[in-house]
Amino acid sequence: MNTFGTLFRLTTFGESHGPALGSIIDGCPAGVPLAPEQIQAALDRRRPGQSSITTARAEPDQVEILSGVFEGKTLGTPLAAIVRNTNQRSGDYEKLKAEDRPGHADAVWRERFKHRDHRGGGRTSGRETLCRVIGGAVAEAYLAQALPGLNTVAWVSQVGELVSAVPEPGLTRAQVDAHPTRCPDAGAREEMSRRILVAKEEGDSLGGCIDVRVEGLPVGLGEPIFGKLKALLAQAMGSVGAVTGVVWGPPDLLARIAQPGKLFHARKDTYGGIQGGLTNGEPVALRVFFKPPATLAEHAKGGRHDPCIMPRAVPVLEAMVSLVLADLVLQFNARPHSS
């Protein structure tokens, strides 16, 4: 399954060391203002080589829009965009033709498909997420028109055992991006950076959490049974490699997860934005858990790997949330509602 969504659909293709990776977005309405710079800005936030705490693979990740946009607006036809790979070092993976890396998908892919691209993980590489960022940028362009005032922001809330403070409402992506860790807590981010650099030097890796907050939602998005918003968001988050869990709830609940003995719902009048599977107009809050990257020891020291994936995963989670919301807005508008 390489397609995500019902009415607003994203299909991704390509491998880490192939000629290119790309996205096909189908179902985006015509007339949505969209410039290549909007997609490029999103890709720049995800691309490798941003700082000393990320992988050293240097890729410009320059987007090429092949179809679906004319005179600065979407056509309503399939929108295809690609990013060409330019900095592969496939020789680093030559011995992995016959050797499976612990914790990776190498062995199960060989068993399932009998043939695989071993270079950089092939289709299972985290590089596939750039395709999701392309789709998310298109979804956000549509949402800017359909839901003015919507604000979706993610940030690194935990690295290893170090947990940051919960930021105030109104957090912006510019505030998150002000530090390489993408943690807005000035009291925690320098220590996070230090711990990541130590792990990188030692060939180790760190997991943690990313929090996502969505403000400005209307009432009624989602479905009350199998199409619950929390279920759709869980599927979206769980499809991202290295994600191990999701918790939904109001900010006070998320702040108490690491504090045993505290009541989850300290306030009885807040529900974290979702009631009965539908948005209720409150901010929606998520905490997404990541395992440490599985590439360790000499594999990590010899190759180009992220010792902590969360800083670069922030725009990926924002993209997946935007894809879910764009799809739900189209579904909401396509169905009759009582007056």
Side-chain angles (χ1 to χ4, degrees):
M1 178 59 71
N2 297 293
T3 300
F4 182 81
T6 301
L7 297 182
F8 193 106
R9 297 181 298 278
L10 167 68
T11 299
T12 74
F13 61 90
E15 292 79 41
S16 178
H17 286 218
L21 293 100
S23 306
I24 299 174
I25 298 97
D26 199 8
C28 181
V32 175
L34 180 67
E37 292 77 14
Q38 291 171 257
I39 299 177
Q40 191 61 54
L43 286 170
D44 287 346
R45 297 179 68 225
R46 193 225 68 99
R47 69 175 178 82
Q50 295 180 44
S51 71
S52 60
I53 65 173
T54 66
T55 174
R57 179 171 176 169
E59 291 275 6
D61 285 355
Q62 190 67 43
V63 68
E64 299 176 39
I65 299 177
L66 305 181
S67 66
V69 179
F70 181 64
E71 295 182 342
K73 294 183 179 180
T74 58
L75 289 167
T77 57
L79 192 162
I82 63 170
V83 166
R84 299 185 188 276
N85 292 320
T86 62
N87 191 229
Q88 307 98 310
R89 281 189 355 202
S90 299
D92 290 352
Y93 296 88
E94 194 63 25
K95 65 180 181 180
L96 297 182
K97 282 184 177 181
E99 179 183 335
D100 296 329
R101 297 166 295 175
H104 287 269
D106 301 349
V108 291
W109 267 60
R110 177 182 288 106
E111 178 67 23
R112 166 72 188 274
F113 298 109
K114 313 305 179 188
H115 181 64
R116 68 183 182 92
D117 184 349
H118 65 279
R119 304 166 303 168
R123 182 79 174 136
T124 67
S125 169
R127 189 153 172 75
E128 182 271 342
T129 59
L130 74 82
C131 308
R132 301 161 184 251
V133 172
I134 293 173
V138 178
E140 289 186 2
Y142 167 64
L143 289 169
Q145 185 181 71
L147 297 178
L150 185 70
N151 183 37
T152 300
V153 179
W155 66 93
V156 175
S157 57
Q158 181 173 345
V159 170
E161 297 179 352
L162 182 59
V163 181
S164 71
V166 177
E168 294 296 319
L171 182 70
T172 67
R173 292 182 182 179
Q175 290 173 309
V176 171
D177 291 350
H179 194 269
T181 58
R182 289 212 163 94
C183 175
D185 181 0
R189 60 195 184 189
E190 294 301 333
E191 178 61 15
M192 287 181 175
S193 183
R194 188 193 70 80
R195 295 187 186 191
I196 294 171
L197 288 172
V198 169
K200 181 179 181 180
E201 180 68 23
E202 295 178 349
D204 203 352
S205 61
L206 294 169
C209 298
I210 292 176
D211 281 18
V212 188
R213 183 187 293 160
V214 188
E215 299 167 313
L217 285 164
V219 175
L221 293 182
E223 296 294 333
I225 307 299
F226 295 115
K228 287 181 170 65
L229 176 59
K230 66 177 184 179
L232 298 176
L233 290 173
Q235 180 193 9
M237 300 300 104
S239 72
V240 177
V243 168
T244 58
V246 182
V247 174
W248 319 263
D252 66 317
L253 184 155
L254 298 182
R256 286 167 169 75
I257 290 175
Q259 303 175 38
K262 295 285 187 178
L263 293 175
F264 271 0
H265 291 285
R267 290 178 57 191
K268 300 297 190 289
D269 59 337
T270 61
Y271 298 89
I274 305 173
Q275 283 179 265
L278 310 177
T279 56
N280 65 3
E282 295 176 0
V284 167
L286 306 172
R287 176 158 292 173
V288 184
F289 295 78
F290 283 77
K291 70 176 184 178
T295 302
L296 300 170
E298 294 309 313
H299 281 305
K301 291 180 179 181
R304 298 176 296 177
H305 306 280
D306 288 279
C308 178
I309 200 66
M310 282 93 70
R312 290 180 57 217
V314 161
V316 177
L317 297 196
E318 291 170 346
M320 295 307 297
V321 170
S322 296
L323 288 165
V324 169
L325 295 177
D327 199 18
L328 288 179
V329 169
L330 287 176
Q331 293 180 47
F332 184 90
N333 293 335
R335 293 175 180 172
H337 305 281
S338 59
S339 58

